Amino acid sequence: MDEEGWVKMWRVSLKSSVWQNANTWMVWSWCLMKATHETYKFPFNGEDVEIIPGQFVTGIKKAIKEVPISAQTYRTAITYLKSTGRTTIKTTNKFSLITVINWAKYQ
């Protein structure tokens, strides 16, 4: 993944429910910055997994290393983002594919 570039941060975010919890805001910001801006594939179990703009692959261990919070705090935040329609999560026994809903709006 290319770690250069930018995302938009809207001032209206200051009034959002995500802003009200520092851990949720940190996880949300991390999701926005981790999401890819171009389609790519990676091999997994003998197949190519396609990642499209707005998605990224992670796991709990990697996530809590990159977002310095506890595993439970991460799970709580990511569950909230999912329940409020900001993300979707497809989980396998090896990784999670997170999709930022309306990702293009942040670019």
Side-chain angles (χ1 to χ4, degrees), residues 18-71:
V18 175
W19 178 259
Q20 303 304 312
N21 181 293
N23 291 321
T24 303
W25 178 254
M26 187 166 37
V27 172
W28 174 238
S29 300
W30 174 77
C31 288
L32 292 174
M33 290 185 269
K34 292 292 288 186
T36 187
H37 65 280
E38 58 189 16
T39 300
Y40 70 94
K41 294 180 181 180
F42 75 93
F44 180 73
N45 282 347
E47 296 180 24
D48 283 342
V49 176
E50 185 175 66
I51 308 301
I52 61 172
Q55 296 181 324
F56 67 101
V57 173
T58 194
I60 187 76
K61 290 179 184 179
K62 182 177 182 181
I64 63 173
K65 183 177 180 183
E66 293 181 5
V67 183
I69 56 179
S70 72

Side-chain angles (χ1 to χ4, degrees), residues 55-97:
Q55 296 181 324
F56 67 101
V57 173
T58 194
I60 187 76
K61 290 179 184 179
K62 182 177 182 181
I64 63 173
K65 183 177 180 183
E66 293 181 5
V67 183
I69 56 179
S70 72
Q72 184 56 52
T73 301
Y74 171 77
R75 281 189 205 95
T76 299
I78 208 75
T79 298
Y80 179 77
L81 294 172
K82 182 179 174 185
S83 72
T84 58
R86 290 175 172 92
T87 63
T88 63
I89 304 168
K90 181 180 177 184
T91 303
T92 73
N93 63 344
K94 299 291 184 187
F95 63 86
S96 292
L97 176 64

Side-chain angles (χ1 to χ4, degrees), residues 3-9 32-33 37 103 105-107:
E3 293 186 3
E4 296 187 22
W6 51 273
V7 296
K8 291 180 183 177
M9 297 301 247
L32 292 174
M33 290 185 269
H37 65 280
W103 176 83
K105 200 164 88 170
Y106 303 99
Q107 301 310 304

